[in-house]
Amino acid sequence: ILLYNKNINIGLKYYLKVVELNNKADYIYRSKIELAIIYFEMKNKDVALNYLNEVANENTQSKYKLEAENILEYYNSLINLSDGDNL
């Protein structure tokens, strides 16, 4: 959606609607990852990390769990780097 519309608000509304379905399907995990990326870009890091942790902590072998873990590690390294700049 974001790729085609280039509009974060439309993407945000779409993915929030999908996540409201609240089941354990792959498209829910994918939507949570997309929301995390959107929120991180909007500088809302806590919400982004929360979505990623939800997917990473699922008891599943989904490829999205691994993707969430990788993005989470990357975002945490970025946060730690920026925190180091504030010292």
Side-chain angles (χ1 to χ4, degrees):
I1 296 268
L2 289 178
L3 201 57
Y4 296 112
N5 293 319
K6 300 283 187 196
N7 189 326
I8 288 177
N9 290 326
I10 291 172
L12 193 60
K13 288 177 187 176
Y14 171 80
Y15 292 120
L16 285 170
K17 285 281 190 196
V18 173
V19 169
E20 283 177 9
L21 299 173
N22 203 23
N23 61 27
K24 304 288 184 197
D26 279 349
Y27 64 90
I28 299 292
Y29 301 141
R30 177 81 238 152
S31 296
K32 287 182 178 184
I33 291 171
E34 292 295 335
L35 282 169
I37 292 168
I38 292 168
Y39 279 116
F40 198 85
E41 289 175 356
M42 294 170 60
K43 309 287 188 235
N44 196 337
K45 295 173 184 159
D46 291 337
V47 175
L49 296 177
N50 185 49
Y51 277 119
L52 290 172
N53 278 313
E54 285 180 19
V55 178
N57 293 328
E58 283 291 330
N59 189 17
T60 180
Q61 296 299 320
S62 171
K63 66 180 180 181
Y64 297 115
K65 178 178 176 150
L66 181 60
E67 184 177 352
E69 290 169 348
N70 289 336
I71 295 171
L72 195 55
E73 183 179 337
Y74 174 68
Y75 282 174
N76 279 324
S77 70
L78 289 178
I79 290 168
N80 290 337
L81 282 175
S82 68
D83 286 347
D85 292 342
N86 295 332
L87 295 177

